Amino acid sequence: MAKLLSALIAGLLFGLGLLLSGMSNPAKVLGFLDVSGRWDPSLALVMAGAIAVAFFAFRRAEGQTHSVLGEPMQLPDKSRLTLRLVLGSVLFGIGWGLAGICPGPGLVLAGMALPDGLWFVAAMLLGMLLFRPLSRCLS
Amino acid sequence: MQIAWDSFTPFASLAGGLLIGLAASWLVLMNGRIAGISGMLAGLVDRAGDWPLRLAFVLGLLAAPLVWRGLVGPLPVPQLSTPLPLLLLAGVLVGIGTRLAAGCTSGHGVCGLSRLSPRSLLATLSFMGSAGLTVFVMRHLLGWS
């Protein structure tokens, strides 16, 4: 129960951060991505602020085998550079650039019950479902 | 390049970023997990064994606007302008792309870069680059606003 409550709190803090930062406003995200137009650099500060805090937490986490709540530390591989990684990231970036919405802000917009947010999340989940058969073809 | 000073929000964005960093720190130190939102969702879609934890995290994100309204007041109004067919295409691309790359802005961008992961650096450069290029093509070559 404590583990679930803890994950809920993390999700909530994350969502509040997305709202406060401007990340959940697609027009602001597109303004940040539009480097050659009228560039809004605000969102660079979101990344800087987040890393400034999380850097210390991850340094601590990497030296431990278990979390405070006794769960095994599950940290993914850091060094495997693959074509899949680049191809997937490029596809994700095209989607992000088309709408100005990435997964976290998509959920926050859906939580506001905005039709566009709900459509985006539905399409994203469909993409994730489609991935399984696609992944079989690729390998 | 021209800076859009009128829409620049350094303090709110930095404060929001600190809060996001706090959320990622909380999840890794308390639960031993990376706060990767696409990964959490993918595990829910695939009904992974730890789906209750993933669901709790996702519910927290979904509840954020409600809590904001209770604690802070009126929500910041998001401006959306993408026509529905493009929005749906964007969602599908984000779904497939983040699975193929095993991460998005949160998992690779925030958590991976904080871990000084070369893999996440490559992913972040790739998605920031293609997202910037997409906006350039849409706005400045095709003339969409």
Side-chain angles (χ1 to χ4, degrees):
Chain A
M1 201 58 212
K3 291 168 187 172
L4 295 183
L5 188 63
S6 169
L8 183 81
I9 291 170
L12 187 60
L13 287 175
F14 208 113
L16 293 174
L18 289 172
L19 279 164
L20 179 59
S21 67
M23 274 297 289
S24 58
N25 183 356
K28 195 163 179 68
V29 173
L30 294 176
F32 171 67
L33 293 171
D34 189 12
V35 180
S36 63
R38 292 188 71 252
W39 189 49
D40 176 356
S42 311
L43 300 189
L45 291 162
V46 183
M47 195 68 106
I51 293 172
V53 174
F55 173 76
F56 297 100
F58 280 106
R59 272 212 359 194
R60 196 178 155 77
E62 294 200 339
Q64 295 172 330
T65 56
H66 286 81
S67 72
V68 172
L69 295 173
E71 292 185 275
M73 207 44 91
Q74 293 178 49
L75 299 172
D77 173 72
K78 288 207 278 197
S79 53
R80 217 157 40 88
L81 306 179
T82 58
L83 190 61
R84 280 173 82 105
L85 178 77
V86 175
L87 187 67
S89 296
V90 167
L91 289 179
F92 160 47
I94 294 172
W96 192 28
L98 283 178
I101 310 174
C102 57
L107 287 176
V108 171
L109 293 171
M112 292 166 87
L114 287 169
D116 280 354
L118 295 167
W119 279 119
F120 177 86
V121 170
M124 174 170 65
L125 293 175
L126 177 69
M128 289 180 171
L129 270 174
L130 289 175
F131 174 77
R132 217 186 314 186
L134 196 79
S135 162
R136 253 179 252 128
C137 299
L138 282 171
S139 57
Chain B
M1 186 204 292
Q2 198 188 347
I3 304 277
W5 293 112
D6 53 322
S7 47
F8 187 44
T9 54
F11 301 110
S13 289
L14 187 65
L18 295 173
L19 205 50
I20 291 169
L22 182 68
S25 302
W26 178 287
L27 194 68
V28 77
L29 293 175
M30 300 298 278
N31 295 81
R33 300 290 296 260
I34 295 279
I37 292 159
S38 59
M40 290 285 183
L41 281 173
L44 275 181
V45 169
D46 291 345
R47 278 164 294 180
D50 59 351
W51 66 266
L53 181 118
R54 295 165 184 271
L55 184 63
F57 181 81
V58 168
L59 285 177
L61 269 161
L62 287 170
L66 199 73
V67 172
W68 176 288
R69 249 194 318 244
L71 292 179
V72 186
L75 285 162
V77 182
Q79 300 148 277
L80 298 127
S81 57
T82 310
L84 189 60
L86 267 187
L87 184 75
L88 295 176
L89 174 66
V92 170
L93 285 172
V94 168
I96 293 177
T98 54
R99 292 234 49 197
L100 194 56
C104 57
T105 338
S106 51
H108 282 309
V110 172
C111 298
L113 292 186
S114 295
R115 296 175 65 208
L116 308 178
S117 153
R119 194 172 141 75
S120 291
L121 179 62
L122 181 62
T124 306
L125 292 175
S126 304
F127 65 68
M128 295 283 276
S130 73
L133 203 62
T134 301
V135 172
F136 178 78
V137 169
M138 298 284 291
R139 285 195 172 172
H140 305 293
L141 296 186
L142 299 177
W144 295 46
S145 61

